[in-house]
Amino acid sequence: MAIRSRFDTHEVFNQSPPYENVDLYSSDAPLMDAVKANGGANETVAMSAFGKAWGTAEQFTLARQANENPPKLKTFDPKGFRSDTVEFHPAYHGFMQASVADGLHASTWSETGARAAPPAEVLRTARFYMAAQVETGHLCPITMTRAALAPLAAEPALAKKIAPKVVSRNYDRTFRSWWEKSGMTLGMGMTEKQGGTDVRANTTTATPDGDGYSIVGHKWFLSAPMSDAFLVLAQAPKGLTCFLMPRFRPDGSVNALWFQRLKDKLGNRSNASSEVEFTEAFAWRVGEEGAGIRTILQMVQLTRLDCAVASAGLMRMALVQVVHHCRYRNAFQKPLYDQPMMRAVLADMALDVEGAVALVVRLSRALDHASTDDREAAYARLLTPAAKFWICKLAPGFIFEAMESLGGNGYVEESILPRLYREGPVNAIWEGSGNVMCLDVLRALKGKEEAELFVDLARAAGIAVDPANPQATSETGARSTVQQIALLAGASALRESAPFVIADTFLQTRIKKKHGAFYGTAGLDSQTIDLLLQRVSPEA
Ligand SMILES: Cc1cc2nc3c(=O)[nH]c(=O)nc-3n(C[C@H](O)[C@H](O)[C@H](O)COP(=O)(O)OP(=O)(O)OC[C@H]3O[C@@H](n4cnc5c(N)ncnc54)[C@H](O)[C@@H]3O)c2cc1C
């Protein structure tokens, strides 16, 4: 004891305890309000069970491990035979298993490939939002798997065989043909070296061959290469066409997907993204020859929603980490949490998370009802690209502000902030980058219902807009228009789910007045600040 005290140089104090062993649902008032307002009022117990299971200290540790130990490509086996397999850390498999067991990959579909009844989308979005707060890399194959059943509807016979394997709650990681497995996951391959946005420039060819096609070419990005099959675009005789390319040929032999290397990515490190060559790989056609873009867009619409949900989840985790830290951290004899300027910054950030979560959950309700309600279909059509644009663009800067509010600890790998920060940009870049989302919104605004929806959202906010205004619908004006649509929809979603003052403050500070370039410039009053911070977490 005497020796110990001699070398004890200092006492450690004024550090926050780790943020862990929390119920990610019951501690999140904006999420709970949004779920209740959009059809999930009876699901509190199930949601809270999910929130507790994902918010444990062990989950946060596993997430760190999954990202500190990125996947490795095994191009060859020890004897020189091609292997073309990827090895993942057990923590990654653990997340896949948990997400599949909870249906994040398929709970919005039935065994037949038809859409599950409402509020399936709302509940899945809430779960996806919570999972994204803990580990985002594995959600790449999860989102692709859930989205892939949409284009497969174009081939009912194929969908009938595949759907039961997809909706299965078993994560079967064995390297076998999908028909031998108890569950399967799906990926997608569109992007080639010469272009990812303009997929019409794809050079990969598809030649009719027996019951399928023979595919020759490459993909420059093919994430989750251990998926059991991929939706792939290739040039068939009648034009760009969508295909389903399995890892195993119908005769049981390994299909000709030759992986060249894995991307060395900024973030998303638990997940593998490969470069691949197809050397006469077998694939089934999905949809008509020449209808490839139209067919695969069914999938992309759903993954775009998940990009927005995941980015909102990243923002939520960054926010709650910093609010938690500031409660415990004193500077100048007072917790940071009680410093007026810090409160103004944190509350301003909290307001964006309020808007983001309200919007993605409301958008999920639109998807729940789109097949029976034209207005909801128009909402889903217009707001999917608009929400992806706004939320995914917001996330990286938002996470940086949280990092700065954590001080030096926020910049250090052991805190979760660097991982969240690296994860931020990818949701904006893939599945249609920012400008591409804006072009898509301009296309959507040509629809009568979508244009009327824009007018109505604006009218409810006391603003007049003209969706035919040449400046607003020009490519140079598109970013302003799309941001306005997303913010108007965010304010409207908040009116349905959050206390009035939150919705009104969002409207006043994000739409009516020009917000400053940084958080803390919204001029919030102290009562609103108090309310926003209380809603971040009960401990606050
Ligand atoms: C981690 C990661 C994983 C990925 N996984 C996959 C995958 O599994 N499968 C897959 O197919 N792809 C995948 N991608 C690729 C991704 O979808 C593409 O990178 C993306 O679509 C952009 O394509 P590109 O890189 O060719 O850029 P480009 O198409 O060259 O675009 C570059 C920029 O130009 C902008 N732009 C394009 N056209 C216009 C226009 N008309 N007007 C104004 N601006 C325009 C875009 O918005 C973008 O910002 C992945 C990417 C990443 C980073």
Side-chain angles (χ1 to χ4, degrees):
M1 200 59 196
I3 290 177
R4 191 175 157 217
S5 62
R6 219 175 106 205
F7 290 101
D8 259 354
T9 58
H10 64 288
E11 181 194 347
V12 180
F13 67 101
N14 199 24
Q15 293 281 14
S16 56
Y19 182 76
E20 56 195 22
N21 296 321
V22 282
D23 176 344
L24 299 175
Y25 189 71
S26 302
S27 61
D28 186 343
L31 173 64
M32 285 195 294
D33 283 352
V35 171
K36 281 182 199 154
N38 288 287
N42 297 330
E43 300 292 333
T44 305
V45 173
M47 287 289 139
S48 176
F50 184 94
K52 279 192 196 119
W54 278 78
T56 60
E58 191 189 1
Q59 286 292 89
F60 286 109
T61 302
L62 290 171
R64 180 178 53 72
Q65 289 171 348
N67 285 277
E68 281 176 359
N69 297 282
K72 293 194 183 86
L73 174 63
K74 302 284 167 188
T75 317
F76 297 96
D77 77 2
K79 306 290 180 198
F81 295 100
R82 284 208 77 98
S83 165
D84 295 295
T85 51
V86 177
E87 269 182 14
F88 292 88
H89 190 266
Y92 170 88
H93 289 301
F95 281 111
M96 286 297 289
Q97 190 164 10
S99 281
V100 170
D102 281 313
L104 296 190
H105 72 305
S107 58
T108 55
W109 302 105
S110 72
E111 278 242 332
T112 60
R115 285 191 173 270
E121 292 284 349
V122 165
L123 300 181
R124 177 185 173 277
T125 285
R127 290 189 168 100
F128 200 85
Y129 177 75
M130 289 186 265
Q133 294 172 38
V134 181
E135 209 295 302
T136 325
H138 84 285
L139 292 178
C140 172
I142 293 294
T143 183
M144 291 194 293
T145 302
R146 104 83 175 212
L149 280 185
L152 282 177
E155 291 299 324
L158 194 54
K160 198 174 160 201
K161 285 189 239 165
I162 296 250
K165 297 284 181 183
V166 176
V167 303
S168 152
R169 298 293 174 99
N170 293 323
Y171 171 58
D172 185 342
R173 54 188 264 207
T174 54
F175 189 50
R176 293 183 289 166
S177 58
W178 60 264
W179 54 91
E180 293 174 288
K181 294 175 65 161
S182 59
M184 70 185 289
T185 58
L186 297 156
M188 72 162 113
M190 296 189 284
T191 308
E192 297 187 0
K193 287 173 186 161
Q194 70 281 1
T197 306
D198 187 5
V199 288
R200 286 167 303 183
N202 273 193
T203 58
T204 297
T205 59
T207 310
D209 183 12
D211 289 342
Y213 285 70
S214 172
I215 313 285
V216 175
H218 81 283
K219 293 294 162 187
W220 184 226
F221 282 87
L222 186 91
S223 289
M226 292 308 281
S227 302
D228 296 290
F230 302 88
L231 272 300
V232 166
L233 289 180
Q235 302 286 0
K238 288 189 190 156
L240 195 65
T241 304
C242 183
F243 295 92
L244 183 72
M245 182 185 286
R247 281 307 305 271
F248 288 79
R249 293 170 178 276
D251 67 8
S253 61
V254 179
N255 205 2
L257 288 80
W258 287 15
F259 296 116
Q260 306 299 302
R261 56 178 177 170
L262 299 185
K263 301 287 190 189
D264 186 4
K265 294 177 287 184
L266 169 69
N268 199 253
R269 295 185 74 82
S270 65
N271 173 41
S273 300
S274 69
E275 297 165 15
V276 64
E277 293 185 2
F278 306 135
T279 54
E280 296 187 343
F282 170 86
W284 291 284
R285 181 168 47 77
V286 177
E288 295 299 313
E289 269 194 22
I293 295 179
R294 193 167 10 110
T295 307
I296 209 147
L297 268 178
Q298 306 295 319
M299 175 172 188
V300 172
Q301 196 76 355
L302 296 178
T303 51
R304 285 177 180 170
L305 166 65
D306 280 355
C307 288
V309 178
S311 283
L314 293 173
M315 286 162 55
R316 160 74 192 171
M317 181 47 64
L319 176 69
V320 78
Q321 288 279 347
V322 69
V323 167
H324 170 80
H325 177 75
C326 288
R327 287 195 72 232
Y328 291 92
R329 182 77 167 181
N330 283 289
F332 307 102
Q333 293 86 46
K334 217 160 56 169
L336 284 176
Y337 185 76
D338 293 333
Q339 307 279 358
M341 201 188 323
M342 182 60 93
R343 289 179 74 75
V345 171
L346 297 178
D348 203 6
M349 293 170 75
L351 191 52
D352 269 343
V353 176
E354 291 262 6
V357 71
L359 177 55
V360 293
V361 178
R362 171 64 186 88
L363 175 53
S364 305
R365 182 176 110 210
L367 267 181
D368 264 330
H369 298 280
S371 60
T372 54
D373 183 330
D374 289 347
R375 180 73 168 190
E376 292 300 306
Y379 192 107
R381 174 68 189 93
L382 186 66
L383 265 308
T384 301
K388 180 180 187 294
F389 174 74
W390 173 54
I391 298 171
C392 298
K393 279 234 164 284
L394 198 60
F398 181 102
I399 298 165
F400 155 65
E401 188 70 65
M403 183 186 280
E404 184 178 329
S405 301
L406 266 159
N409 287 349
Y411 196 69
V412 172
E413 280 299 329
E414 283 144 325
S415 88
I416 191 175
L417 267 294
R419 177 152 54 83
L420 298 179
Y421 186 65
R422 283 196 299 267
E423 204 65 43
V426 71
N427 289 323
I429 292 173
W430 92 303
E431 295 303 75
S433 310
N435 289 351
V436 177
M437 290 302 89
C438 293
L439 292 172
D440 196 37
V441 171
L442 294 189
R443 273 191 298 276
L445 276 178
K446 295 202 168 90
K448 186 170 167 291
E449 286 274 359
E450 287 80 356
E452 279 173 14
L453 176 63
F454 180 23
V455 172
D456 290 349
L457 287 169
R459 189 180 298 132
I463 295 170
V465 294
D466 174 8
N469 174 329
Q471 171 56 19
T473 53
S474 70
E475 290 193 19
T476 41
R479 280 192 172 214
S480 301
T481 307
V482 176
Q483 184 182 12
Q484 189 184 30
I485 291 172
L487 292 173
L488 286 169
S492 163
L494 282 171
R495 273 197 300 279
E496 289 186 56
S497 63
F500 173 78
V501 65
I502 303 273
D504 191 52
T505 307
F506 188 88
L507 175 68
Q508 298 301 333
T509 60
R510 269 63 180 162
I511 301 170
K512 298 243 161 147
K513 280 189 270 169
K514 194 168 158 41
H515 193 284
F518 309 113
Y519 286 107
T521 57
L524 304 178
D525 63 62
S526 62
Q527 275 178 324
T528 309
I529 289 174
D530 291 349
L531 177 63
L532 281 162
L533 292 180
Q534 272 161 23
R535 286 169 60 80
V536 172
S537 77
E539 64 171 7

